[in-house]
Amino acid sequence: YLALILLLLLLLGTTYLYPYSNLSLNKSYTYNADNVIVKEYVRDLRNFKKVYKNDLKENGFSENMTSRVDYLLKMSEQKWLVKKNSSNMKRGNYNLYYDVKLLRESLMDLETEKNYSPETESYLKYTIDACSTIEKDIIDLQNSKNASRSQLQTQYHNLHVHFMNCFRIFTSYYEAAKKEELNN
């Protein structure tokens, strides 16, 4: 009877301290985003969407570019990235990894389609590199069975920041590509 209680306490302790471990009863973690970062990110998203919506009205870009922007916006507006309260994060979110990989590959296709100026090309390359960083972050999270709660908080925070950086670099690319389109 005592052994059963000790085993139960061990499982509960492991579940709390190491949420993604093999012994955890519930392989999820509650991520608490930095509200200042979220507020700033949501503001940047809102501002970009206004510009983008205006550009769509003016037919400034090809359908190829708009489909990539729409996809990036969909990824950038995931609930855990834009909400101020905590988010429940499950281990092994393979869909997120494949979504980022698909975005990176489609941006690589953009790289070969157009002849951009060196500045625009560098923004696109940095966006592609940022996607690669996000992919690595996601793989690290998927492999973090023995990570403690504080380690997971750091990993999710880094992933959050990398998503924000990717979005910001992409907006710089978008503005530079738009300027090139208008000048042609």
Side-chain angles (χ1 to χ4, degrees):
Y1 186 71
L2 182 62
L4 186 61
I5 291 174
L6 288 175
L7 181 63
L8 183 61
L9 287 175
L10 175 69
L11 287 174
L12 290 175
T14 302
T15 298
Y16 179 77
L17 295 173
Y18 300 97
Y20 290 167
S21 80
N22 289 335
L23 296 176
S24 178
L25 300 173
N26 181 17
K27 296 193 184 341
S28 68
Y29 171 73
T30 303
Y31 169 63
N32 296 305
D34 182 331
N35 287 336
V36 173
I37 289 175
V38 172
K39 185 177 178 181
E40 187 179 310
Y41 181 59
V42 169
R43 185 195 67 224
D44 290 347
L45 271 168
R46 194 177 322 115
N47 291 340
F48 177 77
K49 284 171 72 173
K50 285 179 189 174
V51 169
Y52 178 60
K53 190 175 180 181
N54 238 10
D55 292 345
L56 282 176
K57 287 179 185 174
E58 297 173 11
N59 277 336
F61 279 112
S62 67
E63 189 174 315
N64 209 2
M65 171 65 107
T66 57
S67 68
R68 285 174 174 88
V69 173
D70 290 340
Y71 193 72
L72 178 86
L73 282 172
K74 179 183 152 208
M75 280 187 41
S76 300
E77 294 179 309
Q78 295 173 69
K79 285 183 183 178
W80 73 276
L81 292 170
V82 297
K83 77 178 195 177
K84 291 181 182 175
N85 28 350
S86 58
S87 300
N88 192 19
M89 310 298 284
K90 299 252 184 243
R91 183 173 158 235
N93 189 346
Y94 298 105
N95 291 338
L96 182 58
Y97 172 79
Y98 290 112
D99 288 345
V100 174
K101 183 178 178 181
L102 183 65
L103 176 64
R104 180 181 51 80
E105 289 170 352
S106 72
L107 290 172
M108 289 170 68
D109 290 342
L110 254 183
E111 199 173 32
T112 59
E113 286 176 13
K114 291 235 177 190
N115 191 11
Y116 291 117
S117 71
E119 177 190 15
T120 306
E121 178 111 14
S122 69
Y123 287 133
L124 182 56
K125 183 186 176 317
Y126 290 140
T127 304
I128 293 167
D129 290 346
C131 286
S132 293
T133 300
I134 292 170
E135 286 178 59
K136 290 174 188 166
D137 287 346
I138 294 168
I139 289 170
D140 287 346
L141 275 163
Q142 289 172 346
N143 294 327
S144 60
K145 289 188 264 187
N146 299 320
S148 68
R149 295 181 74 73
S150 64
Q151 289 169 321
L152 289 173
Q153 178 66 26
T154 301
Q155 285 180 292
Y156 278 113
H157 175 76
N158 290 342
L159 181 61
H160 197 169
V161 169
H162 290 150
F163 262 101
M164 289 171 46
N165 288 339
C166 182
F167 175 75
R168 287 184 178 136
I169 296 167
F170 181 82
T171 58
S172 297
Y173 157 72
Y174 178 87
E175 290 298 325
K178 182 170 79 172
K179 190 164 56 171
E180 281 186 29
E181 288 278 329
L182 294 174
N183 291 334
N184 286 338

